[in-house]
Amino acid sequence: MSGTQEDLDAFEGGLGDALRRTGETFTVEGRPLVDSGVVRGRRALRRRRVAAVTGSVAALAVVGFGASYTTGAFGGGSRHGGAGVAAQPTAQEIVPSTKSSPGKGPQLSAQQVIETLEGLLPEGQVSGQAGRGTADRLGPSAHLVFDDGEGKAAIGVSVGAIDPDGTEAEQQLECPDKIFVPHDSCANETLADGSSLMVLRGYEYPDKRVDTKWWHAYLVTPDGYTVDASEWNAPAEKGAAVSRAEPPLTVGQLKELVISDEWRPVMNALEKAAPQPARQPSAQGRDGRTILRRLKSLLPVSAKVVSESGGDGYAYVVVNDGKGASLVQINVQPNMSDVEGELFGAGAEVLPDGTKVVTRQGPGEKGGAGVVMWTADTLRPDGLRVVVSAFNSGSQNAKATRPTPALTMRQLKSIATSGKWAGK
């Protein structure tokens, strides 16, 4: 993976994870950046990025799903959190360490981390080993290509530190919404020792334009360490032909890999993560339940809601008026006057109360065949930004289900400018 947006995400890894799936969840040049329904959070990052977006809920609520969705197993990221696959080393490359403050245990080399992964795999051939040691500021990781006789497959693991009671851990362990991240299964489990585990069977490309499967396990231990493992049914995450029907490790084997005590020496070499501040409650009227209720009250009678969800500052519904499913999403965000010059310039409509309105029509963001996105983006004099978008599909990752969205541009504008959003 490469590109300026991905590089920026890796650089901004002070969040603990630089978004892993940037190729699929990020776009640039004024297009929306991320999917909101995946999880709640990353508010500081949202404020840095939001000025570049054009109005999708996806852009404003900023994704934090899964350590591998945010960085994966092998690439850049923070030492305090799952490091990622954003930039895989080349075959046989052992990444030199950039030293940081060590933990209490002995430091391990990149080769030792790689050998730990190799020792946990079933019978088979390994090649293309790469990794980082525990003294590396990006955190320890191992990546290799594994062949059990059924075809070559990429496998990678990273180990990190995290506040087990913090918001980030909660976000990373949360299963994604299938509306935004298609997957075959996702399960959460609390283990006997108090560790939390999430295992997901998903796809490298949300729109499934290539049949590369991505299976992922993410463990958070009670004492604040993470083990993040990913595997594919191809010898590389991207850019390699599918080589087998499924990734080589079963869900059970993937689970056993991340919970193995063999990772304990790696964990012990890491410094502890600083405790995160307690999650602040949503501002009155900005919680997902309130936003969802108000959004539904503003929909036309013909738009029957078939699914719905909401979080801090955003909500979405999938509606069907008898002509096919249509996704409608909204973001309600205060204190956004700083984006006025970039997004609400000379072409914006100014209403009598001073609200500025910009409307847009264009293609969808995620590659679904024939999907279009219609948006009404508004900014009020007090800095409240309300953005409503509708699509001609029930999911941006799926092909169009109808010629146009279920809501007209006039209806979207009416929802975005409603006085209900100013209420507490």
Side-chain angles (χ1 to χ4, degrees):
M1 296 174 64
S2 62
T4 57
Q5 182 64 49
E6 289 88 337
D7 294 339
L8 173 62
D9 291 331
F11 177 76
E12 292 183 328
L15 292 167
D17 292 296
L19 286 167
R20 168 185 183 280
R21 280 180 151 38
T22 48
E24 299 310 305
T25 57
F26 282 89
T27 54
V28 293
E29 298 180 359
R31 302 272 312 276
L33 299 181
V34 290
D35 277 323
S36 63
V38 180
V39 291
R40 306 44 172 154
R42 307 299 169 92
R43 299 304 169 190
L45 181 58
R46 176 185 66 192
R47 288 309 307 271
R48 291 199 294 274
R49 288 184 177 138
V50 73
V53 308
T54 59
S56 158
V57 175
L60 302 180
V62 185
V63 66
F65 159 64
S68 281
Y69 259 100
T70 55
T71 59
F74 338 112
S78 167
R79 185 176 175 79
H80 299 304
V85 267
Q88 294 185 25
T90 56
Q92 301 297 334
E93 177 183 1
I94 307 301
V95 180
S97 292
T98 304
K99 294 199 173 183
S100 62
S101 301
K104 295 181 180 180
Q107 297 297 295
L108 279 69
S109 68
Q111 185 60 43
Q112 288 174 301
V113 179
I114 292 169
E115 289 173 356
T116 301
L117 172 58
E118 290 181 357
L120 293 171
L121 297 176
E123 287 288 325
Q125 299 294 317
V126 296
S127 60
Q129 296 95 326
R132 294 191 299 261
T134 55
D136 194 293
R137 65 182 177 82
L138 297 178
S141 67
H143 169 247
L144 51 78
V145 177
F146 175 72
D147 189 349
D148 57 1
E150 301 295 326
K152 293 183 177 181
I155 299 177
V157 176
S158 68
V159 180
I162 198 171
D163 177 1
D165 300 315
T167 302
E168 183 179 355
E170 178 184 348
Q171 293 170 350
Q172 304 287 36
L173 290 163
E174 186 175 2
C175 285
D177 191 321
K178 283 190 174 183
I179 290 293
F180 296 94
V181 182
H183 55 274
D184 292 331
S185 67
C186 184
N188 298 102
E189 181 180 356
T190 300
L191 307 181
D193 68 352
S195 296
S196 297
L197 175 69
M198 186 269 287
V199 180
L200 177 139
R201 295 166 57 240
Y203 298 86
E204 181 61 31
Y205 299 92
D207 61 4
K208 303 181 186 178
R209 63 182 181 272
V210 178
D211 293 331
T212 307
K213 294 182 179 180
W214 169 68
W215 292 5
H216 164 65
Y218 187 75
L219 178 79
V220 177
T221 67
D223 55 345
Y225 294 102
T226 66
V227 182
D228 175 356
S230 291
E231 60 170 336
W232 292 263
N233 62 332
E237 174 195 4
K238 294 181 184 291
V242 168
S243 54
R244 51 193 297 144
E246 307 283 356
L249 305 181
T250 65
V251 167
Q253 289 173 318
L254 191 60
K255 171 183 172 180
E256 292 301 317
L257 189 151
V258 297
I259 69 174
S260 171
D261 288 337
E262 296 299 316
W263 297 115
R264 181 50 63 174
V266 183
M267 297 176 185
N268 291 342
L270 302 180
E271 58 179 328
K272 288 277 192 176
Q276 288 188 319
R279 173 182 288 203
Q280 297 299 313
S282 301
Q284 190 175 2
R286 306 285 183 258
D287 62 283
R289 181 178 299 180
T290 300
I291 293 173
L292 184 59
R293 174 173 51 80
R294 291 175 179 171
L295 173 61
K296 291 168 65 176
S297 73
L298 294 168
L299 294 173
V301 176
S302 60
K304 305 299 182 183
V305 175
V306 295
S307 65
E308 61 186 53
S309 186
D312 183 13
Y314 78 94
Y316 80 83
V317 294
V318 176
V319 301
N320 194 325
D321 57 1
K323 300 177 182 178
S326 179
L327 171 65
V328 180
Q329 55 189 31
I330 186 168
N331 202 97
V332 181
Q333 195 172 31
N335 306 317
M336 294 305 298
S337 296
D338 55 342
V339 306
E340 181 174 359
E342 294 181 61
L343 299 181
F344 299 89
E349 177 187 1
V350 182
L351 302 183
D353 66 356
T355 297
K356 292 188 175 183
V357 182
V358 173
T359 57
R360 306 178 185 92
Q361 292 179 273
E365 306 157 355
K366 308 302 174 192
V371 174
V372 298
M373 173 182 178
W374 292 2
T375 297
D377 193 350
T378 66
L379 183 67
R380 305 184 190 207
D382 63 356
L384 179 66
R385 187 182 182 197
V386 180
V387 189
V388 186
S389 296
F391 304 82
N392 60 334
S393 174
S395 168
Q396 291 193 66
N397 300 307
K399 65 181 181 180
T401 54
R402 50 190 298 140
T404 60
L407 274 63
T408 65
M409 288 300 302
R410 177 176 292 183
Q411 288 169 330
L412 291 173
K413 178 180 173 181
S414 177
I415 291 173
T417 59
S418 169
K420 289 189 176 184
W421 307 117
K424 296 297 186 180

